[in-house]
Amino acid sequence: MAGLDELYREVILDHYRNPRRKGTLSGDHVHAEGNNPSCGDEFFLDLLVEDGVVVDAAMLGQGCSISQASGSMMMDAIVGQSVDDIQDLAGKFRIMMTIDEGENPVDEERPGSVLGDLEALQGVRKFPVRIKCADLAWTTLAQALDQTAS
Ligand code: ZN
């Protein structure tokens, strides 16, 4: 089937097989859970935010390689970053995936290298049913950040 090699690029498989920051946090943290019924994916996120910065994070999940690899890549991208920068990154990710084209057509504003490994997920765009898989970790992250906002 054409396009599958792009969908399962090596970087995606690496994150799927060796998920970053797998586990849970002890002590103070917020917890959020997401699931994607159309594929059966689950994602559990523990987040420690101090002074507007994500200082630690851990995740557990199960499901398809796209959902779990996206979560693993997200963990790499968020720890040590400010919540503001993470919101910005999440916006770029959603534009890249055409989840939210916002004001800018995707082809005019390519988010570019700031996304790092996350760019490997661009191939998923060709498979609309899988976009929810790639987005699961990010919707779960948004829930967790909401809890820290108050
Ligand atoms: Zn999935």
Side-chain angles (χ1 to χ4, degrees), residues 36 39 41 64 133:
N36 174 24
C39 186
D41 308 318
C64 70
C133 302

Side-chain angles (χ1 to χ4, degrees), residues 53-124:
V53 175
V54 172
V55 294
D56 204 1
M59 63 118 171
L60 287 174
Q62 57 183 4
C64 70
S65 58
I66 297 299
S67 67
Q68 303 306 307
S70 179
S72 173
M73 291 176 191
M74 185 188 80
M75 303 305 276
D76 268 356
I78 66 174
V79 174
Q81 304 297 315
S82 74
V83 172
D84 285 348
D85 285 349
I86 289 168
Q87 305 279 23
D88 189 51
L89 184 70
K92 288 183 166 67
F93 178 75
R94 296 175 75 84
I95 290 170
M96 179 186 80
M97 301 301 292
T98 68
I99 295 162
D100 179 6
E101 297 193 28
E103 302 282 307
N104 302 295
V106 171
D107 288 335
E108 286 184 22
E109 187 179 317
R110 303 298 293 206
S113 60
V114 292
L115 289 168
D117 281 359
L118 288 163
E119 287 189 63
L121 291 167
Q122 283 184 80
V124 177

